[in-house]
Each structure stands twice: as structure tokens, then as C-alpha cells.
């Protein structure tokens, strides 16, 4: 480096530390040691070119500043605190990006396509990387301190793209892992339906996703899960089993007692015909119990088709003949109920 590229032996951009010697509204003098004195003017202090520097520091305070490779008319080394802060910030950003660590900043404004964030230098958070869920009011985030992961950083062009979403997702994963390790059979939770499939529904419980099999949605017969729930619904579930190593959780929505346990064999009940089949009629005894009246139990005389005796929607008295809780079957009789 030539003599012209240095001042008092200090190269351009070199960061030095000095203590505040004197201060005025428009400039601050620093004692750099060795008889050298530096000066920082308002324009090089911060982004606020009109800042009152008497309010910005105290005598004796140590300030970091970058050398601008020139002296003023008083022979003082011209320094830039703003440039030094930016260099320090870029160094921190580079380390954070390399180590996969977050940087901390302040949301300063809502801009086109996202948010502006001050992390020592201006960074941009695209709308898609602001949060794990859509944010309705971006203005509510202005002024808040946030942590973000570095997505793209180029000091030469001043380009810095950040992701707050990545940090929040990491927090969610950690919390979900801790919750998964604490989950036990029998625990009850409130969750949100996030997916509906033919075989069942997936429910998210604070980041832990569990499966409610179709047979575990209700005590009654369910043709398809969409009959009972939709994506976005909040549901109450109970943990059936947990395999933490496989991140697998089996859930049930059958929280009430088995309605079949209250049925008394030989008892008479009033039900409503729900549907007909060639071999008989299905009768709903309540919202969760459906039983079958075989065609041979529909009347004391021979019946060729169920509709000869009943039609869907009709109320009928039936007698409970048998209850098979394992196979979820209830055998009923209209004929014996009438005879009774």
C-alpha cells in the first residue's frame, strides 16, 4: 500500500478505538493514543445526519470508528463511526451465515414485498419469510426486535435477505420435540385438523402431528372423515399411543364412554330407520349407535323386502338381541319388540 493510501500509518477502512476527548453538536473528537486525534462529524456518526452529538456520547466513552484516509484542516484523522458499525455488522452477519446462527435486528418499515430490518445494516425480509403463518397486519411488527436467519448476504452490493420464518420454525420444532417426549397415552389435547384423508385425519397439536384413524373419529359408522371434520377445525383428542423415536402419535376423538356399553340385551328401545339393505334394515338408536334388524326379525310373518315393513326415517320399537363391542355390531328385532 502506498503512502498516499494511508494516514499516519493507518490504512483506509481500519477500525480504531478511541475515547471521547471533546464533543460538540456537530462533531466528536477521539483520543486515539500516541498523540493521534480523530474526529467524527455528524454525517459520519449515524444515519441521522442531524443528530446532536452532545447527546450521543459521554466524555471518556470508547468509540469504534473507521479511518477515511485523510486529515482535516486541524490535522485530525477523519473517522466514520457509521462505516465502522457497518463493517462490524457485516462481519457478524458473515459469521452467523457460516454457523447457521440467527442475527438480531429491529423491524423499521413495511416495504414493497415485505419488511425492512435493521441488523446494523439494512436487511430485507420477504413476505413469504416473515412468519410461519400468513401475517394480516405487517405494520404491527414495526419497531419489534426480531431474530432472523441469513438467507443471502453480499457486502459488495449491500444485499441482505433475512428469514424470520426460519427462526420461528426452529423454535416450533424444538417445542414440538419437547412436547412429543412428554406425551403419554391418555393425555387430552386441543388440536387443529391439518389434513383429511380417506383413512383418517391428521391433527396438529402445537407442532406435533398425530393421526386419528377413521375408526377413531366417532363411535358411529363413518363413511368418510369429511363427514365430521374439515381442515382448520379445532378438535379435542386423546393420545392412544406414542412412538417418539418415529415421531408417530396415534389419537382418538372417541372421548365419551362406549355407547354400546349402555345397551341392555333384551331391552326395548325406540329408534329411527337410517337405511335399508337386501338383508334387513339399519336402525339408529341414538347419534352414535346403529343396529341391524335382519329381514327375518322384521315381522312374525315372512318378509321378502325390508320396505314391506319399514321405510327410511320411520320410528320403530326394537328389541336388543345381541351386542358385539369388538365387531361393533348390534342385532335388533322389530318382531320381538312387537310381541313384547
Amino acid at each position: 500500500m502506498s503512502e498516499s493510501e494511508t494516514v499516519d500509518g493507518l490504512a483506509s477502512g481500519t477500525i480504531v478505538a478511541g475515547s471521547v476527548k471533546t464533543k460538540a453538536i456537530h462533531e466528536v473528537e477521539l483520543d486515539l493514543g500516541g498523540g493521534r486525534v480523530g474526529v467524527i462529524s455528524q454525517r459520519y456518526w449515524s444515519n441521522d445526519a442531524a443528530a446532536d452529538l452532545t447527546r450521543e456520547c459521554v466524555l471518556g466513552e470508547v468509540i469504534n470508528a473507521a479511518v477515511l484516509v485523510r486529515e482535516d484542516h486541524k490535522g485530525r484523522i477523519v473517522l466514520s463511526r457509521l462505516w465502522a458499525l457497518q463493517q462490524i455488522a457485516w462481519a457478524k452477519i458473515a459469521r452467523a451465515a457460516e454457523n447457521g446462527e440467527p442475527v438480531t435486528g429491529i423491524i423499521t418499515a413495511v416495504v414493497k414485498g415485505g419488511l425492512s430490518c435493521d441488523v446494523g445494516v439494512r436487511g430485507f425480509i420477504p413476505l413469504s419469510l416473515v412468519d410461519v403463518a400468513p401475517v394480516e397486519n405487517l405494520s404491527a411488527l414495526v419497531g419489534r426486535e426480531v431474530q432472523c436467519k441469513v438467507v443471502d448476504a453480499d457486502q459488495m452490493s449491500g444485499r441482505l435477505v433475512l428469514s424470520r420464518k426460519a427462526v420461528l420454525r426452529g423454535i416450533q420444532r424444538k417445542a414440538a420435540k419437547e412436547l412429543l417426549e412428554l406425551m403419554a397415552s391418555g393425555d387430552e389435547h386441543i388440536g387443529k385438523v391439518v389434513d383429511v384423508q380417506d383413512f383418517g385425519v391428521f391433527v396438529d397439536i402445537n407442532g406435533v402431528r398425530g393421526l386419528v384413524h377413521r375408526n377413531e373419529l366417532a363411535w358411529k359408522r363413518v363413511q368418510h372423515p369429511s363427514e365430521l371434520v374439515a381442515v382448520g377445525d379445532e378438535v379435542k383428542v386423546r393420545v392412544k399411543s406414542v412412538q417418539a423415536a418415529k415421531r408417530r402419535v396415534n389419537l382418538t376423538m372417541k372421548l365419551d364412554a362406549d355407547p354400546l356399553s349402555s345397551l341392555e340385551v333384551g331391552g326395548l328401545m325406540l329408534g329411527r330407520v337410517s337405511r335399508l339393505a337386501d338383508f334387513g334394515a339399519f336402525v339408529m338408536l341414538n347419534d352414535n349407535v346403529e343396529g341391524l334388524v335382519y329381514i327375518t326379525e322384521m315381522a312374525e310373518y315372512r318378509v321378502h323386502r325390508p320396505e314391506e315393513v319399514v321405510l327410511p326415517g320411520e320410528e320403530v320399537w326394537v328389541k336388543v338381541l345381541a351386542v358385539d363391542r369388538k365387531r361393533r355390531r348390534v342385532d335388533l328385532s322389530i318382531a320381538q319388540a312387537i310381541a313384547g
Side-chain angles (χ1 to χ4, degrees):
M1 181 173 286
S2 66
E3 182 74 21
S4 61
E5 294 176 302
T6 64
V7 58
D8 205 2
L10 297 174
S12 173
T14 301
I15 296 178
V16 295
S19 59
V20 177
K21 182 179 180 182
T22 65
K23 60 179 182 174
I25 293 176
H26 61 281
E27 68 175 27
V28 170
E29 277 191 347
L30 298 185
D31 181 356
L32 302 178
R36 295 181 297 189
V37 177
V39 61
I40 307 173
S41 65
Q42 285 174 311
R43 64 180 294 195
Y44 295 131
W45 180 266
S46 68
N47 288 318
D48 182 5
D52 180 354
L53 301 192
T54 61
R55 298 172 179 269
E56 297 287 320
C57 58
V58 295
L59 295 178
E61 180 182 351
V62 176
I63 303 291
N64 290 317
V67 176
L68 295 184
V69 192
R70 62 189 176 89
E71 295 180 346
D72 67 358
H73 64 285
K74 295 182 179 180
R76 299 174 300 182
I77 301 172
V78 179
L79 304 172
S80 172
R81 174 177 175 270
L82 182 59
W83 189 14
L85 292 177
Q86 290 175 343
Q87 287 193 69
I88 293 170
W90 277 113
K92 288 181 179 179
I93 289 166
R95 287 195 299 271
E98 182 178 354
N99 299 326
E101 298 173 346
V103 291
T104 301
I106 302 292
I107 302 296
T108 55
V110 178
V111 295
K112 184 179 179 180
L115 296 170
S116 179
C117 183
D118 183 358
V119 291
V121 294
R122 181 186 179 278
F124 174 63
I125 307 176
L127 186 60
S128 61
L129 300 180
V130 171
D131 208 323
V132 293
V135 179
E136 295 182 1
N137 183 14
L138 289 175
S139 298
L141 294 174
V142 175
R144 285 181 55 181
E145 183 178 270
V146 296
Q147 286 195 318
C148 300
K149 286 289 185 71
V150 178
V151 176
D152 184 22
D154 185 350
Q155 184 174 356
M156 291 295 292
S157 64
R159 174 179 170 81
L160 176 61
V161 180
L162 305 169
S163 173
R164 177 172 175 259
K165 179 179 180 178
V167 173
L168 295 177
R169 186 163 282 169
I171 293 172
Q172 280 189 343
R173 289 197 188 102
K174 182 180 178 181
K177 182 181 178 182
E178 293 173 352
L179 176 60
L180 187 62
E181 292 172 350
L182 294 173
M183 274 188 174
S185 298
D187 291 348
E188 293 188 359
H189 299 275
I190 300 293
K192 180 175 289 188
V193 176
V194 292
D195 193 14
V196 178
Q197 298 290 335
D198 293 342
F199 54 84
V201 301
F202 289 95
V203 177
D204 182 272
I205 306 169
N206 295 328
V208 176
R209 182 174 290 200
L211 172 64
V212 182
H213 193 274
R214 185 175 63 189
N215 295 335
E216 293 296 330
L217 288 169
W219 290 110
K220 67 180 180 181
R221 185 170 178 265
V222 178
Q223 293 284 354
H224 194 275
S226 59
E227 297 173 12
L228 299 180
V229 295
V231 173
D233 287 352
E234 282 197 347
V235 293
K236 191 172 183 179
V237 294
R238 180 185 294 129
V239 178
K240 287 197 69 182
S241 63
V242 180
Q243 292 176 279
K246 296 183 178 180
R247 298 185 61 82
R248 185 175 298 169
V249 181
N250 292 315
L251 306 168
T252 181
M253 287 172 54
K254 298 193 292 191
L255 306 183
D256 298 329
D258 186 352
L260 295 189
S261 61
S262 63
L263 296 184
E264 182 181 348
V265 175
L268 296 179
M269 300 186 70
L270 183 64
R272 186 179 298 275
V273 178
S274 55
R275 53 199 171 95
L276 302 180
D278 293 341
F279 49 83
F282 290 90
V283 177
M284 290 297 297
L285 301 179
N286 54 47
D287 289 339
N288 291 315
V289 177
E290 186 178 54
L292 173 62
V293 180
Y294 279 100
I295 199 166
T296 55
E297 291 292 337
M298 300 195 75
E300 295 180 342
Y301 53 87
R302 181 177 179 141
V303 176
H304 298 282
R305 295 186 303 276
E307 54 266 33
E308 294 175 8
V309 180
V310 294
L311 292 173
E314 284 189 37
E315 285 191 339
V316 292
W317 282 96
V318 292
K319 181 177 181 179
V320 180
L321 301 183
V323 178
D324 188 336
R325 293 179 62 183
K326 186 175 182 180
R327 298 171 64 190
R328 310 305 301 169
R329 285 184 53 176
V330 179
D331 294 334
L332 306 170
S333 173
I334 295 175
Q336 293 188 41
I338 294 173

